[in-house]
Amino acid sequence: MSQTADRPFLGIMLMLAFCVLAPLGDSMAKLLGGAVSLSMLVFVRFAVQAIILVPLVWRNGTGFSLPKGTLHWTLLRTVLHIAGIGLMFSALRYLPLADTLAIAFVMPFIMLLLGHFVMDEEVGKHRMVACFIGFIGTLLVIQPNFVEVGFPALLPLGVAVVFALFMMVTRNIAQQIDAVKLQAVSGLQACALLLPVLAYTAPEITALDSGTIAMLLVLGVIGTLAHLFMTWSLRFAPASTLAPMQYLEIPFGTAIGWAIFADLPNGLATFGIFITMAAGLYVIIREGRLSVRATKAPPAA
């Protein structure tokens, strides 16, 4: 389905649903962290993704064959996805939900820097300054957590780096593979890569009670739906409209963290969160304006 420009409200509502579901899924992973191993959490997350999406691809009749030259990119994307989710679930075992999300949202700055230094993309001084300010805000969030839990406070930085690479790989193949098929294939690949883990988790599976199993399945469903909503939102509204909305994950995550875990960021972390959000929104808005200027610019003679 192509993007439908006259339905931006639907796109915004779908992105809003993503911003609620994503931290809600993270909160369930945090709840399960004390009772279920990390390997089990990650495996179930991808297994449910495959179970939901494979029938959708099958029904569409598009098959699972990938365009020539994209298999190794999809495998790399899947490995990065596994690593990113694993690091995120690990971070949630130590840090409050809002702080974890805020630190991980340094990702847009990392993507900007990778684009500049790795892909030789032009990045102006204004966006470079915004990156520097955003990193300062992130450090303000990390500092009180580092004092409390030590090096695990740096795990969300790993999440940001891995998902920045994940997004760059996704951008490289997104025009060649349907989004739902890409997610379905990713789920199958992740299950295959994580299958050896079953040898270690089999005794754990038999020891789980029905309530924990139900929560694991709900975690997988929420994670899959969140990514589908984000993908579908881009069909109905432009990315420039939706990108700033992703920062709503932080206030929603704060509210969910307070409601479920009675966790709220302290004063220093709250100040850092606001700085990070402001710098990130500035980068996104400026990127959008520069893209519009480039589109309207006359072609070179």
Side-chain angles (χ1 to χ4, degrees), residues 131-202:
C131 286
F132 178 72
I133 294 173
F135 278 115
I136 291 176
T138 302
L139 290 175
L140 293 177
V141 182
I142 290 174
Q143 194 274 335
N145 289 288
F146 191 85
V147 170
E148 185 172 345
V149 303
F151 284 102
L154 301 178
L155 285 171
L157 285 179
V159 175
V161 172
V162 169
F163 272 113
L165 295 171
F166 170 84
M167 291 300 293
M168 292 183 73
V169 173
T170 301
R171 184 190 302 174
N172 188 50
I173 59 176
Q175 299 301 318
Q176 303 177 62
I177 309 174
D178 174 74
V180 175
K181 178 193 283 191
L182 182 59
Q183 287 295 95
V185 170
S186 180
L188 291 172
Q189 290 176 337
C191 287
L193 292 171
L194 294 169
L195 199 58
V197 177
L198 287 180
Y200 299 96
T201 58

Side-chain angles (χ1 to χ4, degrees), residues 54 56-66 178 180-182:
V54 165
L56 291 179
V57 176
W58 191 272
R59 190 184 68 175
N60 289 338
T62 58
F64 294 92
S65 60
L66 298 172
D178 174 74
V180 175
K181 178 193 283 191
L182 182 59

